[in-house]
Amino acid sequence: MSEPRPSDRHDASESDDTFAEIVDEATQRDPDLAVIEAGSRTLRTASGPVPDDEVPSRPADPEVDKALRAVEQELAGRWGETKLEPSVARIAALMDVLGEPQRAYPSIHITGTNGKTSTARMIEALLGAFDLRTGRYTSPHVQSITERISLDGAPMDPERFIETYQDIKPYVEMVDAQQPYRLSFFEVLTGMAYAAFADAPVDVAVVEVGMGGSWDATNVIDASVAVVTPISLDHTDRLGTTPAEIAGEKAGVIKQDATVILAQQPVDAAQVMLKKAVEVDATVAREGMEFGIVSREIAVGGQLLTLRGLGGEYEEIFLPLYGAHQAHNAAVALSAVEAFFGIGAEQPGSLDHDTIRRAFASVRSPGRLEVVRSSPTVVLDAAHNPAGARATADGLSEAFGFSRLIGVVGASDDKDVRGLLEAFEPIFAEVVITQNSTGRAMNADALAAVAVEVFGGDRVQVEPRLDDALEAAITLAEEENEYAGAGVLVTGSVITVGEARLLLGRH
């Protein structure tokens, strides 16, 4: 296995026993030795103890599993997440008949193109560390639909998920009968999340938009803090063809008198956001101006950061995630939580530094530069657009010393697959093209045709079945005595990553 390179800063900090223990605990995470059957092939997973996995598996109780599958089937019969009728009329009607549950708690609303889920997880961890009960709503899910709704940092258990669906189902059907279009899959889940948060009850909800902002189903909350992660081109058929046009849609989450935490943006996107903030008297904190990264060093199992928040500097923060993009997400998350507590505006001072360190050290983000096995090392990353792919490529190159890297790529057919492949071309020795099991998957042969144009025919292999693609990539990584320094990156889609996770025994 090719290990991440340790930093001098990490060695220097070993005198701090508490901090060293946090680092050690977060880095001893090798997967279990297991054998799984993947269709007609067998894939060997890595050796070592299995870490706690925040991605839930199917319910062990057959009756509960049957009931959950029935809910999933009913939801699947509605409009999927990629079929939209831009309006919040249906979700607003549902909230009305449910008694406006989304107004029972304060919220933090997160939009942007990349980094939303990781940032949401960081915000959730920070709030939880300060003894607040949290609800988190994110999408899409990696393996289980129940991941989308979390309470107190853990995915909703299946029984509660089923109960929540059954509770709101009569009201959903009532709204369906009154509207020109039935509530969509995403709208029903959003209603479930808001109802579950009110029922818990939570102290604060951390809500990630599904797409855009203005007409996104989540946008029936009046969040006191709006977070905007980096904006780039994605969903251009629905949101616009320039960063400025996309920012115009995403700016809809900025509400009257809110605080806006603005990650680094293209200039035209930033201008749109700032104009919106002025219109609604919102306060803006900009990365690189009011907050940001002071220093960042690679460490075993992640990185060591000094962050400047709205209330001052926070040193020796260990983040067990790879890549500069995750450090930027951490700066955004920290400032969002400071803003939620009124730091930097209503009150001076900073949050407790030790609590901040403990919270960041606990963060996990499945499917984001996640190591799932060794010998050879297999990394999963859900990058699905060119900007995300570039961040992944940079993070992988920085944190790992692979002598040879094999890509496994399965993408959705509505994405900029050429841009995605071009971002990975410099780091992939060879690429195995595949497809996931959903109807949104791009046909492997069609994707391979683009890959040949980007990589050349001698660097491209096609394996339509994902299990075959994983085995082919592992075999390629082990060739020519490259076993110790070779690696595999599985990427292109959250769905592809989730299915690979199951095949590699992470369930």
Side-chain angles (χ1 to χ4, degrees):
M1 175 177 177
S2 178
E3 294 288 346
R5 295 184 291 274
S7 70
D8 294 336
R9 178 70 174 274
H10 177 211
D11 294 337
S13 69
E14 289 180 350
S15 59
D16 185 335
D17 293 339
T18 301
F19 184 67
E21 288 174 5
I22 292 173
V23 174
D24 183 66
E25 181 183 15
T27 57
Q28 301 303 312
R29 297 184 283 127
D30 287 338
D32 189 18
L33 177 63
V35 177
I36 67 169
E37 194 67 23
S40 61
R41 306 287 185 108
T42 298
L43 298 172
R44 291 165 296 147
T45 60
S47 60
V50 174
D52 292 336
D53 195 344
E54 296 185 8
V55 178
S57 58
R58 297 299 310 183
D61 186 326
E63 291 303 314
V64 174
D65 187 54
K66 181 180 178 181
L68 180 59
R69 289 185 188 278
V71 171
E72 292 170 329
Q73 186 173 4
E74 289 187 25
L75 289 170
R78 295 179 174 271
W79 275 3
E81 289 173 283
T82 59
K83 185 173 182 179
L84 305 167
E85 194 275 321
S87 169
V88 294
R90 292 174 302 281
I91 188 67
L94 180 60
M95 293 297 99
D96 181 56
V97 297
L98 288 175
E100 304 292 343
Q102 82 281 14
R103 308 208 186 281
Y105 37 81
S107 53
I108 297 174
H109 208 175
I110 306 170
T111 189
T113 302
N114 292 308
K116 296 187 295 295
T117 297
S118 292
T119 302
R121 284 178 170 272
M122 293 179 195
I123 292 172
E124 174 189 51
L126 289 165
L127 293 169
F130 286 98
D131 297 324
L132 292 182
R133 188 165 201 202
T134 58
R136 171 172 55 83
Y137 181 52
T138 53
S139 60
H141 57 274
V142 177
Q143 288 176 201
S144 171
I145 195 171
T146 60
E147 298 165 37
R148 294 178 180 237
I149 306 174
S150 288
L151 295 170
D152 292 327
M156 200 180 228
D157 65 65
E159 293 87 352
R160 191 166 190 171
F161 187 92
I162 296 163
E163 181 182 356
T164 301
Y165 175 75
Q166 296 298 341
D167 285 345
I168 75 164
K169 183 178 177 179
Y171 301 97
V172 169
E173 292 172 345
M174 185 187 307
V175 173
D176 283 344
Q178 298 170 349
Q179 296 292 323
Y181 303 100
R182 296 173 70 216
L183 287 153
S184 70
F185 168 90
F186 186 74
E187 286 169 333
V188 175
L189 279 172
T190 301
M192 289 175 60
Y194 289 160
F197 296 162
D199 185 61
V202 302
D203 297 314
V204 55
V206 182
V207 179
E208 173 190 336
V209 303
M211 186 186 300
S214 297
W215 42 259
D216 186 72
T218 63
N219 202 29
V220 288
I221 53 174
D222 292 317
S224 61
V225 179
V227 175
V228 187
T229 66
I231 291 173
S232 60
L233 300 182
D234 199 5
H235 302 295
T236 54
D237 57 331
R238 298 177 179 87
L239 303 180
T241 58
T242 68
E245 290 178 348
I246 294 172
E249 290 294 336
K250 294 182 182 294
V253 304
I254 302 174
K255 304 300 172 58
Q256 189 74 32
D257 300 321
T259 299
V260 184
I261 305 300
L262 195 60
Q264 291 179 348
Q265 304 289 347
V267 173
D268 55 348
Q271 289 173 339
V272 171
M273 289 291 173
L274 292 172
K275 181 181 178 181
K276 174 68 173 182
V278 170
E279 291 173 356
V280 297
D281 293 323
T283 301
V284 179
R286 300 155 294 176
E287 184 180 6
M289 300 291 287
E290 286 75 29
F291 69 94
I293 301 170
V294 176
S295 66
R296 186 179 77 89
E297 300 179 51
I298 310 307
V300 174
Q303 49 195 310
L304 288 171
L305 310 174
T306 296
L307 300 178
R308 178 165 55 85
L310 305 180
E313 288 191 5
Y314 299 79
E315 298 179 339
E316 291 190 331
I317 293 173
F318 175 69
L319 181 68
L321 302 175
Y322 301 115
H325 60 295
Q326 295 289 17
H328 288 284
N329 291 339
V332 168
L334 172 62
S335 296
V337 172
E338 285 184 312
F340 180 79
F341 285 122
I343 300 295
E346 299 161 15
Q347 58 179 306
S350 60
L351 298 174
D352 181 74
H353 290 214
D354 286 338
T355 303
I356 294 296
R357 291 188 188 105
R358 286 195 300 272
F360 273 120
S362 72
V363 171
R364 302 291 182 270
S365 194
R368 278 73 179 177
L369 283 178
E370 179 188 20
V371 179
V372 293
R373 62 157 284 173
S374 60
S375 301
T377 301
V378 177
V379 182
L380 307 181
D381 192 89
H384 55 273
N385 56 47
R390 287 190 292 270
T392 295
D394 289 344
L396 199 70
S397 298
E398 175 186 74
F400 296 86
F402 291 126
S403 58
R404 189 163 178 253
L405 182 64
I406 310 300
V408 175
V409 180
S412 296
D413 61 5
D414 59 344
K415 299 299 180 182
D416 178 3
V417 295
R418 180 177 295 276
L420 180 86
L421 293 169
E422 287 176 345
F424 285 124
E425 190 278 332
I427 68 168
F428 286 166
E430 297 181 64
V431 61
V432 181
I433 299 299
T434 189
Q435 63 190 70
N436 59 58
S437 64
T438 68
R440 291 181 57 196
M442 187 172 187
N443 176 269
D445 289 335
L447 180 57
V450 181
V452 168
E453 294 177 3
V454 173
F455 289 85
D458 58 341
R459 295 169 63 192
V460 177
Q461 182 172 333
V462 184
E463 295 289 351
R465 280 179 41 158
L466 182 56
D467 56 337
D468 292 340
L470 291 171
E471 184 170 18
I474 290 169
T475 300
L476 287 169
E478 294 175 346
E479 287 180 353
E480 301 175 8
N481 298 318
E482 295 278 2
Y483 188 89
V488 173
L489 174 67
V490 184
T491 189
S493 163
V494 176
I495 299 165
T496 301
V497 163
E499 292 182 358
R501 241 177 156 267
L502 283 170
L503 289 169
L504 292 164
R506 297 298 295 271
H507 52 77

